[in-house]
């Protein structure tokens, strides 16, 4: 690791859109403590795109390599940490290989997609004594931290239950049904890929662990069968001549980054970033509901919808002394002219609002026998209300004293996917699933954490 005379040496595996945040942080704000040695991707065109962007925007030279050479690169180039931003189903193999080769790991959520690979990661951490950091940037969002503070300060007494509703709109939500995420073997479905963010928030807000999960849901809007029932004919892809007339089409030619990363590199691996959301082959759910019992007593009632006309979330935490309510509108409406862009509104400047529904956020506390009061949410600079900047500082500079315990380790990453893994098992079985009955590696993770 880094000391006063040397910088921590990094490689990044996975050069899709998400890796840019880490590249820019290493070569920008954290260049004094971090050094980017090379980037890797199974698609050499995407790796080369980032190499070129780094040279043009940062004036720096970095290498590229095939992910199959990861161990050799880590050992030959004295790599301290590997950042993994590749598709979810590849995380476990890259994590285990990096740890075994002698490097620590920073991995985008989710940690992995199933119980077997989770346990394998935990065993490897225990055996190697190395470290895995999972990047849950939503912990750092000021609104979520404000809610954590209110719970932690006991402002509603002991928590008894949570109602949590998350809605993804027909732009951002639809995008999960265009990409590799649409196949459950790749992503674990939205219960893992997307909702691990949400379950991590609940685990963190409560400082508690999920114990029992009961899930219901299905593919009810997207996909070929639903399209046929509504008289919709799927297209071959979104990038086509008549795409402007289809609000669900993503034309890769209309976005410079997507064009350069994906459209111009299809010839390397055949991957299409713009598959039709009403085409065949989709195996993930777009409507989900769960009941989760927590070890300390609270019960979570959670729902996710991926075809909403607006995007945001609502959380209500009930306690023995009152109730906290957080409402967030990230995009107030999707109008036909705005269709096609997959941009997550939580990191985009989208001010669309109306008198009925306005973009914004509000945290309200109401104690028993009292009137409601609004709790101020103090914003920071940058994406996710300044949350990404804080997360990156913790990753590259190291976490300082944090009363809210936002940095997430291996145990947090496992508990975040535990709800989704057990939820998927519950969907398959039609019955509740006990977390303790699924070998996720929590025991090995706890042993490794105690030894560190």
């Amino acid at each position: 690791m880094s000391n006063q005379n040397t910088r921590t040496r990094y490689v990044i595996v996975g050069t899709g859109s998400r890796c840019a945040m880490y590249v820019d942080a290493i070569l920008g704000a954290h260049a004094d403590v971090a050094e980017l040695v090379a980037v890797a991707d199974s698609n050499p065109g995407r790796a080369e795109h980032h190499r070129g962007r780094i040279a043009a925007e940062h004036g720096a030279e970095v290498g590229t390599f095939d992910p199959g050479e990861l161990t050799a690169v880590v050992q030959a180039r004295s790599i301290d940490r590997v950042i993994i931003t590749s598709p979810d189903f590849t995380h476990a193999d890259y994590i285990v290989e990096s740890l075994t080769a002698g490097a620590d790991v920073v991995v985008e959520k989710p940690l992995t997609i199933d119980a077997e690979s989770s346990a394998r990661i935990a065993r490897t951490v225990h055996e190697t004594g190395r470290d895995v950091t999972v990047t849950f940037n939503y912990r750092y969002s000021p609104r979520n931290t404000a809610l954590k503070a209110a719970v932690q300060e006991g402002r509603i007494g002991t928590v008894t239950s949570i109602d949590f509703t998350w809605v993804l709109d027909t732009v951002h939500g639809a995008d999960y049904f265009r990409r590799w995420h649409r196949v459950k073997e790749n992503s674990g479905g939205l219960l893992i890929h997307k909702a691990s963010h949400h379950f991590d928030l609940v685990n963190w807000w409560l400082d508690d662990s999920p114990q029992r999960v009961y899930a219901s849901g299905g593919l009810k809007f997207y996909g070929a069968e639903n399209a046929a029932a509504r008289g919709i004919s799927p297209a071959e892809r979104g990038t086509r001549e008549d795409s402007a007339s289809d609000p669900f089409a993503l034309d890769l030619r209309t976005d410079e980054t997507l064009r350069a990363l994906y459209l111009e590199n299809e010839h390397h691996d055949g991957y299409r970033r713009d598959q039709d959301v009403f085409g065949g082959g989709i195996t993930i759910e777009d409507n989900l509901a769960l009941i989760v019992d927590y070890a300390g007593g609270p019960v979570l009632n959670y729902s996710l919808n991926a075809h909403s006309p607006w995007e945001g979330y609502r959380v209500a935490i009930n306690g023995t002394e009152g109730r906290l309510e957080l409402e967030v509108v990230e995009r107030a409406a999707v109008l036909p002219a705005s269709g096609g862009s997959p941009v997550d509104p939580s990191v985009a400047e989208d001010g669309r609002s109306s008198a009925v529904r306005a973009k914004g956020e509000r945290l309200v506390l109401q104690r028993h026998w009292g009137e409601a009061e609004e709790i101020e949410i103090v914003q920071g600079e940058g994406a996710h209300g300044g949350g990404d900047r804080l997360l990156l500082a913790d990753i590259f500079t190291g976490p300082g004293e944090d009363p809210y315990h936002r940095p997430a380790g291996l145990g947090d990453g496992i508990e975040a996917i535990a709800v989704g893994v057990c939820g998927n098992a519950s969907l398959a079985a039609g019955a509740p699933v006990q977390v303790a009955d699924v070998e996720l590696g929590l025991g090995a993770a706890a042993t490794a954490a105690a030894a560190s």
Side-chain angles (χ1 to χ4, degrees):
M1 297 300 292
S2 63
N3 56 45
Q4 61 181 359
N5 298 316
T6 185
R7 296 180 293 169
T8 302
R9 292 169 63 80
Y10 289 84
V11 294
I12 299 176
V13 179
T15 56
S17 301
R18 188 60 175 167
C19 92
M21 179 180 83
Y22 298 96
V23 168
D24 295 340
I26 294 172
L27 296 173
H30 302 286
D32 59 328
V33 294
E35 177 185 358
L36 181 60
V37 176
V39 298
D41 198 286
S42 59
N43 184 304
R46 285 198 293 272
E48 184 63 25
H49 167 80
H50 278 282
R51 191 196 65 78
R53 186 184 74 84
I54 289 166
E57 296 182 10
H58 295 282
E61 290 293 328
V62 302
T64 62
F65 65 96
D66 185 275
E69 303 168 340
L70 179 58
T71 294
V73 169
V74 166
Q75 295 178 345
R77 303 297 300 275
S78 300
I79 302 304
D80 299 301
R81 299 176 93 188
V82 177
I83 298 175
I84 298 171
T85 57
S86 54
D88 302 349
F89 69 96
T90 68
H91 286 186
D93 286 344
Y94 290 142
I95 292 170
V96 168
E97 183 174 358
S98 300
L99 297 172
T100 304
D104 293 329
V105 169
V106 176
V107 60
E108 271 287 303
K109 67 83 194 164
L111 174 70
T112 185
I113 63 169
D114 56 34
E116 184 279 329
S117 59
S118 176
R120 183 159 57 99
I121 292 168
R123 286 195 304 271
T124 307
V125 169
H126 176 61
E127 292 164 359
T128 62
R130 306 216 67 89
D131 183 65
V132 173
T133 298
V134 186
T135 56
F136 288 112
N137 59 346
Y138 254 81
R139 288 187 178 199
Y140 293 80
S141 179
R143 59 201 179 214
N144 297 326
T145 301
L147 182 55
K148 167 71 172 177
V151 173
Q152 188 168 290
E153 292 163 7
R155 301 186 72 176
I156 57 169
T158 301
V159 174
T160 59
S161 64
I162 301 182
D163 291 309
F164 193 168
T165 298
W166 200 290
V167 291
L168 295 162
D169 64 30
T170 48
V171 172
H172 184 208
D175 203 44
Y176 295 106
F177 298 84
R178 300 185 182 108
R179 300 179 283 169
W180 53 264
H181 310 69
R182 72 207 309 255
V183 178
K184 206 163 194 176
E185 291 180 353
N186 292 339
S187 64
L190 292 181
L191 276 184
I192 291 179
H193 176 81
K194 183 63 180 174
S196 62
H197 251 329
H198 313 156
F199 302 138
D200 176 69
L201 283 176
V202 176
N203 299 345
W204 174 64
W205 284 328
L206 297 180
D207 190 21
D208 205 346
S209 300
Q211 190 173 57
R212 175 181 177 271
V213 181
Y214 184 39
S216 182
L219 183 64
K220 300 177 182 296
F221 181 78
Y222 300 109
E225 185 175 333
N226 294 314
R230 300 199 302 274
I232 298 172
S233 298
E236 182 182 0
R237 63 183 306 174
T239 304
R240 60 183 197 272
E241 293 310 311
D242 64 341
S243 63
S245 63
D246 180 0
F248 282 99
L250 171 63
D251 190 332
L252 297 174
R253 298 169 299 185
T254 65
D255 183 283
E256 179 60 27
T257 298
L258 294 177
R259 180 190 61 75
L261 271 178
Y262 300 105
L263 186 62
E264 293 182 356
N265 290 306
E266 286 182 0
H267 63 282
H268 290 291
D269 55 12
Y271 173 62
R272 288 188 173 183
R273 172 66 176 77
D274 61 342
Q275 297 175 80
D276 194 287
V277 299
F278 297 118
I282 296 174
T283 57
I284 65 172
E285 301 83 12
D286 55 23
N287 282 257
L288 289 154
L290 288 83
I291 296 174
V292 183
D293 295 326
Y294 274 78
V299 60
L300 166 67
N301 179 38
Y302 172 85
S303 67
L304 174 67
N305 178 279
H307 56 89
S308 169
W310 67 279
E311 180 149 331
Y313 59 102
R314 293 171 174 155
V315 183
I317 304 183
N318 302 298
T320 55
E321 298 177 18
R323 178 178 169 99
L324 284 158
E325 297 174 347
L326 174 63
E327 179 164 353
V328 178
V329 176
E330 292 180 337
R331 183 153 44 208
V334 175
L335 304 180
S338 68
S341 170
V343 174
D344 178 349
S346 68
V347 297
E349 291 299 325
D350 183 346
R352 185 171 295 109
S353 296
S354 70
V356 176
R357 193 187 309 281
K359 179 176 180 176
E361 56 195 17
R362 191 181 190 201
L363 177 58
V364 174
L365 165 68
Q366 187 163 8
R367 291 175 56 82
H368 292 161
W369 325 116
E371 295 183 351
E373 59 179 284
E374 187 167 351
I375 296 176
E376 181 182 10
I377 299 172
V378 180
Q379 295 293 333
E381 295 182 0
H384 292 112
D388 284 359
R389 179 178 57 82
L390 296 173
L391 168 69
L392 292 167
D394 276 357
I395 290 171
F396 295 112
T397 305
E401 291 296 323
D402 184 351
Y404 307 118
H405 308 289
R406 285 172 290 195
L410 176 63
D412 301 304
I414 294 176
E415 289 200 332
I417 65 167
V419 179
V421 168
C422 294
N424 282 332
S426 178
L427 288 172
V433 173
Q434 298 285 340
V435 175
D437 292 341
V438 180
E439 178 48 56
L440 292 152
L442 284 166
T447 301
S452 64

